[in-house]
Amino acid sequence: MRVLGIETSCDETGVAVYDGQAGLLAHRVYSQADSHARYGGVVPEIASRDHIRKLLPLLDETLQASATERLALGGVAYTRGPGLAGALLVGAALARSLAYALGIPALGIHHMEAHLLAPMLEEPPPRFPFLALLVSGGHTMLVQVAGVGRYRLLGESLDDAAGEAFDKVAKLLGLDYPGGPALEQLAKQGDPDRFRFPRPMTNRPGLDFSFSGLKTYTLNTLRGAAEFDDQIRADTARAFQDAVIDTLYLKCRRALRQTGAKRLVVAGGVSANRKLRERLAQLARTSGARIYYPRIEFCTDNAAMVAYAGWLRLSAGEHDSLAFDVTARWPLPELREPPAR
């Protein structure tokens, strides 16, 4: 089966084609970051309008790059949720209309399941079972994965996700949107010994996260500084990043010990952070676990992971009815294993 994937959950418009035999044939992503930068964050109405403007041209470009005629498609997968409702509806409407016109099945995909499966596009792919750290702008969670659709949530953020905290602290530091990559660059110039921020919820049992208090601690540090110069900004960025990465490291170490897992998948936008990867490499050496990541371009939102997740489920016989909707909030454990074929 050759599957078209469409991603419009937030501020990236993505289209990809995945073939069950040949693998990923082509993928394209259009980032709206410049459109939202002047507002310091994503504006849902602008995101939806940009998806409308860019999705069809991107679809034609991707089909041409993959040498795929529309009639050669065997199914269409699209992000159904979670995400911004208006943005999700753009992708869902096009995906369902195209599938209906071609007489092929369509399927709405869970955005975080797609992230979780993104490392399957690499060589070698991780084998089931494994532990997954999903860390992005909207979600931070640890998931025990026995197979596709067989997910047990071990812990999640009780307030801000790690990526969201990165963006908010970047804004406090006067950095442009998107803030995460900019904060990572600024932190490289920081003194690691000037400040030590707390590692939230690491001194108590459990695998949940909380980053909202860390954001407040950062704000109070900046307010207490004698001057707001480039060095204080860099030192604060370094202390904040170290605290987030240490927290993720400690929770992953605890989860590996509790589950006995020997494979850890790390996915989502924050998984592109180089310091996080260095820290988890230490965890791999001390624990004996192997760490799997998607390639950098597949850490952030993209349609390649949606097309792959769609291929797995569509080829197992799953499909949606003609009536469709989107789900802005959609807990990952609600997913079920694809039917056996």
Side-chain angles (χ1 to χ4, degrees):
M1 178 180 284
R2 185 168 292 192
V3 173
L4 177 74
I6 295 175
E7 156 61 20
T8 61
S9 64
C10 192
D11 61 338
E12 271 97 18
T13 310
V15 182
V17 177
Y18 184 86
D19 185 273
Q21 293 184 332
L24 183 64
L25 300 180
H27 71 97
R28 296 290 186 270
V29 178
Y30 168 74
S31 173
Q32 302 176 4
D34 290 344
S35 300
H36 300 284
R38 73 187 71 177
Y39 305 104
V42 176
V43 180
E45 178 68 18
I46 292 176
S48 301
R49 290 177 181 272
D50 255 12
H51 288 311
I52 293 171
R53 186 167 57 91
K54 285 293 184 179
L55 189 51
L56 271 175
L58 211 61
L59 171 64
D60 291 336
E61 181 183 336
T62 307
L63 289 175
Q64 183 176 2
S66 66
T68 300
E69 298 290 336
R70 295 189 184 189
L71 291 175
L73 294 171
V76 182
Y78 62 95
T79 304
R80 179 173 171 242
L84 302 174
L88 290 167
L89 280 168
V90 176
L94 177 60
R96 297 309 304 276
S97 300
L98 182 61
Y100 180 75
L102 295 175
I104 58 177
L107 185 65
I109 297 300
H110 193 291
H111 183 69
M112 297 313 294
E113 178 179 60
H115 271 303
L116 184 151
L117 297 172
M120 298 290 190
L121 293 165
E122 312 302 334
E123 288 294 339
R127 291 183 294 107
F128 297 115
F130 56 76
L131 182 69
L133 172 67
L134 301 178
V135 57
S136 67
H139 301 83
T140 300
M141 59 180 74
L142 279 162
V143 184
Q144 192 170 14
V145 181
V148 177
R150 298 168 62 191
Y151 309 131
R152 178 175 168 235
L153 182 64
L154 301 178
E156 62 183 334
S157 179
L158 304 179
D159 39 58
D160 289 353
E164 184 180 7
F166 263 97
D167 286 340
K168 289 180 177 179
V169 168
K171 196 169 184 177
L172 294 177
L173 295 171
L175 300 173
D176 292 333
Y177 176 85
L183 190 148
E184 182 182 1
Q185 290 301 313
L186 180 61
K188 292 178 180 178
Q189 307 163 34
D191 179 355
D193 298 319
R194 182 170 183 179
F195 300 119
R196 178 173 174 81
F197 286 9
R199 277 55 175 162
M201 297 187 71
T202 57
N203 60 349
R204 64 181 75 175
L207 295 171
D208 287 330
F209 302 88
S210 173
F211 296 107
S212 180
L214 192 57
K215 177 191 64 180
T216 304
Y217 193 95
T218 304
L219 176 61
N220 290 335
T221 299
L222 293 172
R223 285 176 172 171
E227 294 183 63
F228 187 71
D229 56 18
D230 289 344
Q231 193 56 53
I232 189 71
R233 292 169 65 245
D235 294 345
T236 303
R238 176 62 183 267
F240 170 80
Q241 178 177 260
D242 286 351
V244 173
I245 289 173
D246 273 359
T247 300
L248 296 173
Y249 166 88
L250 291 168
K251 294 287 185 172
C252 285
R253 185 179 68 179
R254 185 178 296 175
L256 287 171
R257 289 174 177 173
Q258 288 184 10
T259 62
K262 289 301 179 184
R263 287 178 289 275
L264 173 64
V265 161
V266 185
V270 181
S271 69
N273 184 287
R274 295 294 183 184
K275 284 293 183 181
L276 175 61
R277 293 192 175 207
E278 291 173 10
R279 195 80 169 93
L280 291 180
Q282 298 174 5
L283 177 59
R285 289 192 294 270
T286 58
S287 68
R290 182 165 182 175
I291 316 290
Y292 296 85
Y293 300 94
R295 69 194 75 168
I296 294 296
E297 62 188 311
F298 292 165
C299 290
T300 52
D301 294 348
N302 65 89
M305 64 185 190
V306 176
Y308 176 74
W311 171 78
L312 282 174
R313 289 185 172 274
L314 284 163
S315 60
E318 278 194 60
H319 62 85
D320 290 335
S321 65
L322 288 177
F324 75 93
D325 62 0
V326 296
T327 306
R329 297 181 181 275
W330 188 4
L332 184 65
E334 288 185 1
L335 295 181
R336 294 294 177 260
E337 187 176 3
R341 296 202 68 174

